[in-house]
Amino acid sequence: MIGKIFCILTSSSFAFALVSGKMNELSAAVLSGAADAAALCISTLGVMCLWSGVIGVFDGVGVTALIAKVVRPILKYIYPTAHKTGVGIDEIAANFAANLLGLGNAALPFGLSAMEKLSELEKKYPDSHDMLTFAVMNTVPFQAFPTTLIALREAAGSQNPYDIILPIYLCSFATIIFAALVCRLCAAAKKTKRHG
Amino acid sequence: MAFSKKDTVSMFLGGCREGIKTSFGLLPTLIMLIVAVRMFSASGALDALCNASLPLCKLLGIPQEMLPVAIMRPVSGSGAIATIKQLFDTSGPDSSAGRTASVLMGSSDTILYTLSVYFSHVGAKKTGYAFPASFTVMIFCIAASCVITRYAFMP
């Protein structure tokens, strides 16, 4: 699927650039895009290492397991197999907590290690949908405070840059519920296809 | 106390080393992603897509000024920020389009980035229903942000 999406993106870009004579812009975009990707990787390297280090300490000392214990009752319904077997549930919980606190930089390494554990889980339990569910749930954020957005609104001269916060909470909440439902439905549809 | 028994320094350094591996492991995915998205917007394909979706927008009652934000949001984080900035400059942050786009921006994320990074990290080629499900959720989020904003800021 990822491959298909990139094929469509790049080939349609080529076609459009050819037709509208924007080949120069296109080649400039390719070069600057590759350079910016490397720059992004380097500029986030420090924070990534820092948080991975903190996570290493948290795992060793037992903070991760403690967080997992607290949020596990909520996650039980979304990730049944991980909850039952205990594989990856600590990482999922830590990722969830980091997202909730607005620590996006910490959420990513937790999320990636959760994916590792969940892909192992999927090999053992092919009927489990926890990895796919986790990936989909991670495309819906639950930011405690949308800093960048508020800053942008303030800079644009908004009368009240904060008045969108409550609607955002409402919308996020509705979207999260909807995402969990969609995952459940997809999992159920696949199961009946396999067994029935 | 647990802290004194265990060697926290080596835990931290071990974690840091993992972080370096993860960061550079993600670089190929990032290059592919950012180059493709830049190509898409530089070639004018993005503008064409926006124009093509205008009638649909009118039909559904979505403020049409926020369309570039809605299209860019699942594809690129920095791209979405650039489009919302433009929207704020032209329509104002307190216009209905500005508010709806803000709500959408705050309650959605870059699907393409998240899914590519997560799945390529574990080397999974099959992504199952992850993409269609995420885009369905995104469409729901666009609709929800329109409805919620309309009721939240009723005159």
Side-chain angles (χ1 to χ4, degrees), chain A residues 1 6 13 16 32 34 36 45 48-49 52-53 60 112 115-116 129 132 138-139 141 149 153 158-159 163 171-172, chain B residues 6 12 15-16 19-20 22-23 33 35 38 40 43 48 93-94 99 102 107 109 118 121-122 127 129 131 153:
Chain A
M1 194 69 189
F6 284 100
S13 304
F16 260 95
S32 75
D36 285 354
L45 183 63
M48 187 79 173
C49 283
S52 301
L112 293 175
M115 282 299 281
E116 285 169 22
H129 289 265
L132 289 175
N138 256 278
T139 64
L149 183 67
R153 286 177 62 79
S158 168
Q159 293 290 314
D163 64 359
C171 190
S172 298
Chain B
K6 292 169 186 167
F12 180 79
C16 273
I20 299 177
T22 318
S23 272
L33 189 76
V35 167
R38 290 280 175 85
F40 196 66
S43 66
D94 297 324
R99 275 176 173 151
S102 302
S107 44
D109 208 340
Y118 274 28
H121 180 71
V122 292
T127 55
Y129 51 78
F131 276 96
F153 296 102

Side-chain angles (χ1 to χ4, degrees), chain B residues 43-110:
Chain B
S43 66
L46 179 69
D47 295 332
L49 187 63
C50 284
N51 287 333
S53 326
L54 268 183
L56 190 72
C57 221
K58 233 172 235 165
L59 196 75
L60 298 173
I62 302 170
Q64 51 171 286
E65 299 90 341
M66 68 168 281
L67 196 61
V69 183
I71 290 179
M72 211 56 188
R73 188 59 184 140
V75 180
S76 150
S78 55
I81 288 178
T83 48
I84 204 168
K85 229 180 193 162
Q86 208 169 7
L87 171 65
F88 285 166
D89 288 341
T90 49
S91 308
D94 297 324
S95 64
S96 80
R99 275 176 173 151
T100 313
S102 302
V103 173
L104 175 67
M105 191 81 178
S107 44
S108 58
D109 208 340
T110 38

